[in-house]
Amino acid sequence: MSSRSFLLFLLLTVLALVNCQGTNNDNMGSDIIGKVPVPDEVKSHDPALDDALGKLVVKVALDGQVNVKTEKPFTQTTLDTRFYSWKVCVRLPILNVTCVEPYLSVNDLTMGVRLTSDGQVLLQKSSPGTAECVNDAKLLGLVTLTPALLPFKPLLDRVIRLTGLLPAQVMSACVKLQQFQVTKTNFSGCVVFDANIMCWRGKCVYKTTKPLGCFNLPFSQQGGKLVVKAGALKKRRNLGHLNIQNNLLHRAPHTHTNTNTNKKVRSHRKKRVLRRR
């Protein structure tokens, strides 16, 4: 290579490096996520928004409805013409009755999962990965429909305009699926519900990572169709909150015994009266 060609090559290399550096500097302000924590970035661009979010999180977190006592999950197994499913539901602060329902397609044994809050479907995913999360639009819809979260809506809109999305560390709801699998004879796995509900600078209106239990649903296949024994369904329906009904049934013989005892007492008294006569 001649000295003239080498100098030209060197000049082009220097110009390329200068261009690259200038481009990176231009993008640092807009590409917020992953470089600077969201609250710090918001504070640098909009201190009033940062302050308002911090104060509102503390205010709502101290409100009585956030401190609702979490109930134990209840479960139910169902089979219809489309799905064989295991549903687990729990009453949570802010989100109220939240249900996660892993399901198996009756036709082709495709696995899926559904997440609902007070009957509203937040997530439904066929062939899910190990973790599936509610999208931004559904999360904002949840904020709008939840009285305790509604004051956050205009502030979240400002965060989205600034960052380009609803940051997961601020608001998220995810289903984590562990050992989620289907074989020729059963459908099984474990479910964890993970949520950040309005978190800002280490404080949250509500935050949880809650294991909701494991399931193992047996089945067989006959003529290309999924078949489930009725006894297995009945056994699983007797879980959770349905145990209340079972306890009442278990107490029935005791009540019957008391009735018989009363009859014996009345009969004995009648005999004593006859003897006196």
Side-chain angles (χ1 to χ4, degrees):
M1 180 184 290
S2 67
S3 58
R4 192 172 185 180
S5 299
F6 175 77
L7 287 173
L8 181 60
F9 172 79
L10 187 61
L11 179 61
L12 290 172
T13 303
V14 170
L15 287 172
L17 287 172
V18 170
N19 264 345
C20 182
Q21 186 176 4
T23 303
N24 287 339
N25 287 336
D26 290 340
N27 287 337
M28 283 187 70
S30 59
D31 189 13
I32 295 169
I33 305 303
K35 292 186 178 180
V36 180
V38 170
D40 290 344
E41 189 62 37
V42 169
K43 185 175 182 178
S44 66
H45 285 77
D46 193 341
L49 174 58
D50 174 64
D51 184 61
L53 274 168
K55 288 179 178 177
L56 189 56
V57 166
V58 172
K59 180 179 180 297
V60 176
L62 294 175
D63 188 70
Q65 64 179 308
V66 180
N67 299 319
V68 174
K69 185 178 180 181
T70 302
E71 299 175 355
K72 291 183 178 180
F74 59 83
T75 62
Q76 186 176 16
T77 303
T78 58
L79 174 67
D80 57 30
T81 55
R82 297 179 60 199
F83 301 116
Y84 183 27
S85 67
W86 179 81
K87 180 189 284 188
V88 54
C89 298
V90 62
R91 189 183 300 277
L92 298 173
I94 297 294
L95 300 174
N96 209 358
V97 178
T98 301
C99 299
V100 179
E101 186 176 9
Y103 60 83
L104 187 66
S105 172
V106 171
N107 294 327
D108 56 9
L109 301 187
T110 299
M111 297 184 294
V113 66
R114 184 184 297 110
L115 170 66
T116 62
S117 175
D118 266 356
Q120 179 191 1
V121 178
L122 300 178
L123 169 71
Q124 182 161 342
K125 179 72 174 179
S126 181
S127 302
T130 55
E132 296 292 343
C133 297
V134 180
N135 63 38
D136 289 0
K138 289 286 188 179
L139 286 174
L140 288 173
L142 180 64
V143 170
T144 303
L145 294 173
T146 307
L149 299 179
L150 189 56
F152 288 100
K153 182 61 168 59
L155 301 179
L156 287 176
D157 289 341
R158 288 164 63 182
V159 171
I160 292 170
R161 282 197 296 269
L162 186 61
T163 64
L165 50 78
L166 183 57
Q169 61 265 48
V170 177
M171 184 82 177
S172 66
C174 302
V175 176
K176 296 180 179 179
L177 302 167
Q178 301 170 347
Q179 302 171 351
F180 197 55
Q181 60 184 353
V182 60
T183 67
K184 292 181 178 180
T185 57
N186 65 44
F187 172 42
S188 61
C190 298
V191 176
V192 177
F193 178 65
D194 185 271
N196 295 320
I197 305 300
M198 281 316 308
C199 294
W200 198 257
R201 295 196 176 280
K203 295 181 176 63
C204 296
V205 169
Y206 180 65
K207 181 180 177 69
T208 186
T209 298
K210 189 173 185 63
L212 294 178
C214 301
F215 63 95
N216 185 9
L217 308 185
F219 64 87
S220 60
Q221 297 182 69
Q222 295 179 8
K225 294 184 178 181
L226 186 144
V227 179
V228 178
K229 293 182 179 179
L233 285 174
K234 183 177 180 181
K235 181 179 179 181
R236 286 175 174 79
R237 286 196 182 107
N238 288 342
L239 296 175
H241 70 305
L242 297 181
N243 282 338
I244 297 171
Q245 297 175 7
N246 293 339
N247 290 337
L248 293 174
L249 291 174
H250 290 325
R251 284 198 288 269
H254 180 68
T255 303
H256 182 67
T257 303
N258 287 343
T259 303
N260 289 338
T261 302
N262 291 335
K263 288 180 179 178
K264 289 179 181 179
V265 170
R266 287 195 298 269
S267 176
H268 181 67
R269 288 175 179 172
K270 186 175 181 181
K271 287 179 180 179
R272 288 179 62 183
V273 170
L274 291 173
R275 285 174 185 172
R276 287 176 183 176
R277 290 179 181 177

Coordinates of all heavy atoms in Angstrom, one line a residue, residues 141-200:
G141 N -55.4 -0.5 31.4 CA -56.8 -0.8 31.6 C -57.2 -1.2 33.0 O -58.2 -0.7 33.5
L142 N -56.3 -2.0 33.6 CA -56.5 -2.4 35.0 C -56.4 -1.1 35.9 O -57.2 -1.0 36.8 CB -55.4 -3.4 35.4 CG -55.4 -3.9 36.8 CD1 -56.7 -4.7 37.1 CD2 -54.2 -4.8 37.1
V143 N -55.5 -0.2 35.6 CA -55.3 1.0 36.4 C -56.6 1.8 36.3 O -57.2 2.3 37.3 CB -54.1 1.8 35.9 CG1 -54.2 3.2 36.6 CG2 -52.8 1.1 36.2
T144 N -57.2 1.9 35.1 CA -58.4 2.7 34.9 C -59.6 2.1 35.6 O -60.5 2.8 36.1 CB -58.7 2.8 33.4 OG1 -57.6 3.4 32.7 CG2 -59.9 3.6 33.1
L145 N -59.7 0.8 35.7 CA -60.8 0.1 36.3 C -60.7 -0.1 37.8 O -61.6 -0.6 38.5 CB -61.0 -1.3 35.6 CG -61.4 -1.2 34.1 CD1 -61.4 -2.6 33.5 CD2 -62.8 -0.5 34.0
T146 N -59.5 0.2 38.4 CA -59.3 0.0 39.8 C -59.3 1.3 40.5 O -58.4 2.1 40.3 CB -57.9 -0.7 40.0 OG1 -57.9 -1.9 39.2 CG2 -57.8 -1.1 41.5
P147 N -60.3 1.5 41.4 CA -60.4 2.9 42.0 C -59.2 3.3 42.7 O -58.8 4.5 42.7 CB -61.6 2.7 43.0 CG -62.4 1.6 42.4 CD -61.4 0.7 41.7
A148 N -58.5 2.4 43.4 CA -57.3 2.8 44.2 C -56.2 3.2 43.3 O -55.3 4.0 43.7 CB -56.9 1.6 45.1
L149 N -56.1 2.7 42.0 CA -55.0 3.0 41.1 C -55.4 4.2 40.2 O -54.5 4.7 39.5 CB -54.7 1.8 40.3 CG -54.2 0.6 41.1 CD1 -53.9 -0.6 40.2 CD2 -52.9 0.9 42.0
L150 N -56.6 4.5 40.1 CA -57.0 5.5 39.1 C -56.3 6.8 39.2 O -56.0 7.4 38.1 CB -58.5 5.7 39.2 CG -59.2 6.6 38.1 CD1 -58.9 6.0 36.7 CD2 -60.7 6.7 38.3
P151 N -56.0 7.3 40.4 CA -55.2 8.6 40.5 C -53.8 8.6 39.8 O -53.3 9.6 39.5 CB -55.1 8.8 42.0 CG -56.2 8.1 42.6 CD -56.4 6.9 41.7
F152 N -53.3 7.3 39.6 CA -52.0 7.2 39.0 C -52.0 7.4 37.5 O -51.0 7.6 36.8 CB -51.4 5.8 39.3 CG -50.9 5.7 40.7 CD1 -51.7 5.0 41.6 CD2 -49.7 6.2 41.1 CE1 -51.3 4.9 42.9 CE2 -49.3 6.1 42.4 CZ -50.0 5.4 43.3
K153 N -53.2 7.2 36.8 CA -53.3 7.2 35.4 C -52.7 8.4 34.7 O -51.8 8.2 33.8 CB -54.8 7.1 35.0 CG -55.0 7.0 33.5 CD -54.4 5.7 32.9 CE -54.8 5.5 31.5 NZ -54.6 6.6 30.5
P154 N -53.0 9.6 35.1 CA -52.3 10.8 34.4 C -50.8 10.8 34.6 O -50.1 11.2 33.7 CB -53.0 12.0 35.0 CG -53.6 11.5 36.2 CD -54.0 10.1 36.0
L155 N -50.4 10.4 35.7 CA -48.9 10.4 36.0 C -48.2 9.3 35.2 O -47.1 9.5 34.7 CB -48.7 10.1 37.5 CG -49.3 11.1 38.5 CD1 -49.0 10.8 39.9 CD2 -48.8 12.5 38.2
L156 N -48.9 8.1 35.1 CA -48.3 7.0 34.2 C -48.2 7.4 32.8 O -47.3 7.1 32.1 CB -49.1 5.8 34.4 CG -49.0 5.0 35.7 CD1 -49.9 3.8 35.8 CD2 -47.5 4.6 35.9
D157 N -49.3 8.2 32.3 CA -49.2 8.7 30.9 C -48.0 9.5 30.7 O -47.4 9.5 29.6 CB -50.5 9.4 30.6 CG -51.7 8.6 30.5 OD1 -51.6 7.3 30.3 OD2 -52.9 9.1 30.7
R158 N -47.6 10.3 31.7 CA -46.5 11.2 31.6 C -45.2 10.4 31.6 O -44.2 10.7 30.8 CB -46.4 12.2 32.7 CG -47.5 13.3 32.5 CD -47.7 14.1 33.8 NE -46.6 14.9 34.2 CZ -46.5 15.6 35.3 NH1 -47.6 15.7 36.1 NH2 -45.4 16.2 35.6
V159 N -45.1 9.3 32.4 CA -44.0 8.4 32.4 C -43.8 7.8 31.1 O -42.7 7.6 30.5 CB -44.1 7.4 33.5 CG1 -43.0 6.3 33.4 CG2 -44.0 8.0 34.9
I160 N -44.9 7.3 30.5 CA -44.9 6.6 29.2 C -44.4 7.6 28.1 O -43.6 7.2 27.2 CB -46.2 6.0 28.8 CG1 -46.5 4.9 29.8 CG2 -46.3 5.5 27.4 CD1 -48.0 4.4 29.7
R161 N -44.9 8.8 28.1 CA -44.4 9.8 27.1 C -42.9 10.0 27.2 O -42.2 10.3 26.2 CB -45.2 11.1 27.3 CG -46.6 11.1 26.7 CD -47.1 12.5 26.6 NE -47.3 13.2 27.8 CZ -48.4 13.2 28.6 NH1 -49.4 12.4 28.2 NH2 -48.5 13.8 29.7
L162 N -42.4 10.0 28.5 CA -41.0 10.2 28.7 C -40.1 9.0 28.3 O -39.0 9.1 27.7 CB -40.8 10.6 30.1 CG -39.4 11.0 30.6 CD1 -38.9 12.3 29.8 CD2 -39.3 11.3 32.1
T163 N -40.5 7.8 28.7 CA -39.7 6.6 28.6 C -40.1 5.8 27.3 O -39.3 4.9 26.9 CB -39.9 5.7 29.8 OG1 -41.2 5.2 29.9 CG2 -39.5 6.4 31.1
G164 N -41.3 6.0 26.8 CA -41.7 5.2 25.6 C -42.4 4.0 25.9 O -42.9 3.3 25.1
L165 N -42.5 3.6 27.2 CA -43.2 2.4 27.7 C -43.6 2.5 29.1 O -43.2 3.5 29.8 CB -42.4 1.2 27.4 CG -40.9 1.1 27.9 CD1 -40.8 0.9 29.3 CD2 -40.1 0.1 27.1
L166 N -44.3 1.5 29.6 CA -44.6 1.4 31.0 C -43.6 0.5 31.7 O -43.6 -0.7 31.5 CB -46.0 0.9 31.2 CG -46.5 0.7 32.7 CD1 -46.5 2.1 33.4 CD2 -47.9 0.2 32.7
P167 N -42.6 1.1 32.4 CA -41.5 0.3 33.0 C -42.0 -0.8 33.9 O -42.9 -0.6 34.7 CB -40.7 1.3 33.7 CG -41.0 2.6 33.1 CD -42.5 2.5 32.8
A168 N -41.4 -2.0 33.7 CA -41.9 -3.2 34.5 C -41.6 -3.0 36.0 O -42.3 -3.5 36.8 CB -41.2 -4.4 34.0
Q169 N -40.6 -2.2 36.3 CA -40.3 -2.0 37.7 C -41.3 -1.1 38.4 O -41.3 -1.0 39.6 CB -38.9 -1.5 38.0 CG -38.5 -0.2 37.3 CD -37.9 -0.3 36.0 OE1 -38.4 -1.1 35.2 NE2 -36.8 0.4 35.8
V170 N -42.1 -0.4 37.6 CA -43.1 0.5 38.1 C -44.5 -0.3 38.2 O -45.2 -0.2 39.2 CB -43.3 1.7 37.2 CG1 -44.4 2.6 37.7 CG2 -42.0 2.5 37.2
M171 N -44.8 -1.0 37.1 CA -46.1 -1.7 37.0 C -46.0 -2.9 36.2 O -45.6 -2.9 35.0 CB -47.2 -0.7 36.4 CG -48.6 -1.3 36.4 SD -49.4 -1.1 37.9 CE -51.0 -1.7 37.5
S172 N -46.2 -4.1 36.8 CA -46.2 -5.3 36.0 C -47.0 -6.4 36.7 O -47.2 -6.3 37.9 CB -44.7 -5.8 35.9 OG -44.2 -6.2 37.2
A173 N -47.4 -7.4 35.9 CA -48.1 -8.6 36.5 C -47.7 -9.7 35.6 O -48.0 -9.7 34.4 CB -49.6 -8.3 36.5
C174 N -47.1 -10.7 36.2 CA -46.6 -11.9 35.4 C -47.0 -13.2 36.1 O -47.1 -13.3 37.3 CB -45.1 -11.8 35.3 SG -44.4 -10.3 34.6
V175 N -47.1 -14.2 35.2 CA -47.3 -15.6 35.7 C -46.0 -16.3 35.3 O -45.5 -16.3 34.2 CB -48.5 -16.2 34.9 CG1 -48.6 -17.7 35.3 CG2 -49.7 -15.5 35.2
K176 N -45.4 -17.0 36.4 CA -44.2 -17.8 36.2 C -44.6 -19.3 36.2 O -45.3 -19.7 37.2 CB -43.2 -17.5 37.2 CG -42.6 -16.0 37.1 CD -41.6 -15.8 38.2 CE -41.0 -14.4 38.1 NZ -40.0 -14.0 39.1
L177 N -44.2 -20.0 35.2 CA -44.6 -21.4 35.1 C -43.4 -22.3 35.3 O -42.4 -22.2 34.6 CB -45.2 -21.7 33.8 CG -46.5 -20.9 33.5 CD1 -46.8 -21.0 32.0 CD2 -47.6 -21.2 34.3
Q178 N -43.4 -23.2 36.3 CA -42.3 -24.0 36.7 C -42.6 -25.5 36.4 O -43.7 -25.9 36.7 CB -41.9 -23.8 38.1 CG -41.5 -22.4 38.5 CD -41.4 -22.2 40.0 OE1 -41.8 -23.0 40.8 NE2 -40.8 -21.0 40.3
Q179 N -41.7 -26.2 35.8 CA -41.9 -27.6 35.4 C -43.3 -27.8 34.7 O -44.0 -28.8 34.9 CB -41.9 -28.5 36.7 CG -40.6 -28.3 37.5 CD -40.6 -29.0 38.8 OE1 -41.6 -29.5 39.3 NE2 -39.4 -29.1 39.5
F180 N -43.6 -26.9 33.8 CA -44.8 -26.9 33.1 C -44.7 -27.9 31.9 O -43.9 -27.6 31.0 CB -45.1 -25.5 32.6 CG -46.5 -25.2 32.1 CD1 -47.5 -25.4 33.0 CD2 -46.7 -24.6 30.9 CE1 -48.8 -25.1 32.6 CE2 -48.0 -24.3 30.5 CZ -49.0 -24.5 31.3
Q181 N -45.4 -29.0 31.9 CA -45.2 -30.0 30.9 C -46.5 -30.9 30.7 O -47.3 -31.0 31.6 CB -44.0 -30.9 31.3 CG -44.2 -31.6 32.6 CD -43.0 -32.4 33.0 OE1 -42.0 -32.6 32.2 NE2 -43.0 -33.0 34.2
V182 N -46.5 -31.5 29.6 CA -47.6 -32.5 29.3 C -46.9 -33.7 28.7 O -46.0 -33.7 27.9 CB -48.6 -31.9 28.3 CG1 -48.0 -31.5 27.0 CG2 -49.8 -32.9 28.1
T183 N -47.4 -34.9 29.2 CA -46.9 -36.2 28.7 C -48.1 -36.9 28.1 O -49.2 -36.3 27.9 CB -46.3 -37.0 29.9 OG1 -47.4 -37.4 30.8 CG2 -45.2 -36.3 30.6
K184 N -48.0 -38.2 27.8 CA -49.1 -39.0 27.3 C -50.2 -39.2 28.3 O -51.3 -39.6 27.9 CB -48.6 -40.3 26.7 CG -47.6 -40.1 25.5 CD -47.2 -41.4 25.0 CE -46.3 -41.3 23.7 NZ -45.8 -42.6 23.2
T185 N -49.9 -39.0 29.6 CA -50.8 -39.4 30.6 C -51.2 -38.3 31.6 O -52.1 -38.5 32.4 CB -50.4 -40.7 31.4 OG1 -49.1 -40.4 32.0 CG2 -50.3 -41.9 30.5
N186 N -50.4 -37.2 31.6 CA -50.8 -36.2 32.6 C -50.3 -34.8 32.2 O -49.4 -34.7 31.3 CB -50.3 -36.5 34.0 CG -48.8 -36.5 34.1 OD1 -48.1 -35.7 33.6 ND2 -48.3 -37.5 34.9
F187 N -50.9 -33.8 32.8 CA -50.5 -32.4 32.5 C -50.2 -31.8 33.9 O -51.0 -31.9 34.9 CB -51.8 -31.7 31.9 CG -51.7 -30.2 31.8 CD1 -50.5 -29.5 31.4 CD2 -52.8 -29.4 32.1 CE1 -50.4 -28.2 31.3 CE2 -52.7 -28.0 32.0 CZ -51.5 -27.4 31.6
S188 N -49.0 -31.2 34.1 CA -48.5 -30.8 35.4 C -47.7 -29.6 35.4 O -47.2 -29.1 34.3 CB -47.7 -32.0 36.0 OG -46.6 -32.3 35.2
G189 N -47.5 -29.0 36.5 CA -46.6 -27.8 36.7 C -46.9 -27.1 38.0 O -47.7 -27.5 38.8
C190 N -46.2 -26.0 38.2 CA -46.4 -25.2 39.4 C -46.5 -23.7 38.9 O -46.0 -23.3 37.8 CB -45.2 -25.3 40.3 SG -45.0 -26.9 41.0
V191 N -47.3 -22.9 39.7 CA -47.6 -21.6 39.3 C -47.2 -20.6 40.3 O -47.4 -20.8 41.5 CB -49.1 -21.4 39.1 CG1 -49.5 -20.0 38.8 CG2 -49.6 -22.4 37.9
V192 N -46.5 -19.5 39.9 CA -46.2 -18.4 40.7 C -46.7 -17.1 40.1 O -46.5 -16.8 38.9 CB -44.6 -18.3 40.9 CG1 -44.2 -17.0 41.8 CG2 -44.1 -19.5 41.5
F193 N -47.3 -16.3 40.9 CA -47.8 -15.0 40.5 C -46.9 -13.9 41.0 O -46.6 -13.8 42.2 CB -49.2 -14.7 41.0 CG -49.8 -13.3 40.6 CD1 -50.0 -13.1 39.2 CD2 -50.1 -12.4 41.5 CE1 -50.5 -11.8 38.9 CE2 -50.6 -11.1 41.2 CZ -50.8 -10.9 39.8
D194 N -46.4 -13.0 40.1 CA -45.4 -12.0 40.4 C -46.0 -10.6 40.0 O -46.3 -10.5 38.8 CB -44.1 -12.3 39.8 CG -43.0 -11.3 40.2 OD1 -42.8 -10.3 39.5 OD2 -42.3 -11.6 41.1
A195 N -46.0 -9.7 40.9 CA -46.6 -8.4 40.5 C -45.9 -7.2 41.2 O -45.5 -7.3 42.4 CB -48.1 -8.4 40.8
N196 N -45.7 -6.1 40.4 CA -45.3 -4.8 41.0 C -46.5 -3.9 40.7 O -46.7 -3.6 39.5 CB -44.0 -4.3 40.3 CG -42.8 -5.1 40.6 OD1 -42.6 -5.6 41.7 ND2 -42.0 -5.3 39.6
I197 N -47.2 -3.5 41.7 CA -48.3 -2.6 41.5 C -47.9 -1.2 42.0 O -47.9 -0.9 43.2 CB -49.6 -3.1 42.2 CG1 -49.9 -4.6 41.7 CG2 -50.7 -2.2 41.9 CD1 -50.1 -4.7 40.2
M198 N -47.6 -0.3 41.1 CA -47.2 1.1 41.3 C -46.0 1.1 42.4 O -46.2 1.4 43.5 CB -48.4 1.9 41.8 CG -49.3 2.3 40.7 SD -48.4 3.0 39.2 CE -47.3 4.2 39.9
C199 N -44.8 0.8 41.9 CA -43.6 0.9 42.7 C -42.8 2.1 42.2 O -42.7 2.4 41.0 CB -42.8 -0.3 42.5 SG -43.6 -1.8 43.2
W200 N -42.3 2.9 43.2 CA -41.5 4.1 42.9 C -40.5 4.3 44.0 O -40.8 4.4 45.2 CB -42.4 5.3 42.7 CG -41.7 6.4 42.0 CD1 -41.2 7.6 42.6 CD2 -41.5 6.5 40.6 NE1 -40.7 8.4 41.6 CE2 -40.8 7.7 40.4 CE3 -41.7 5.6 39.5 CZ2 -40.4 8.1 39.1 CZ3 -41.3 6.0 38.3 CH2 -40.7 7.3 38.1

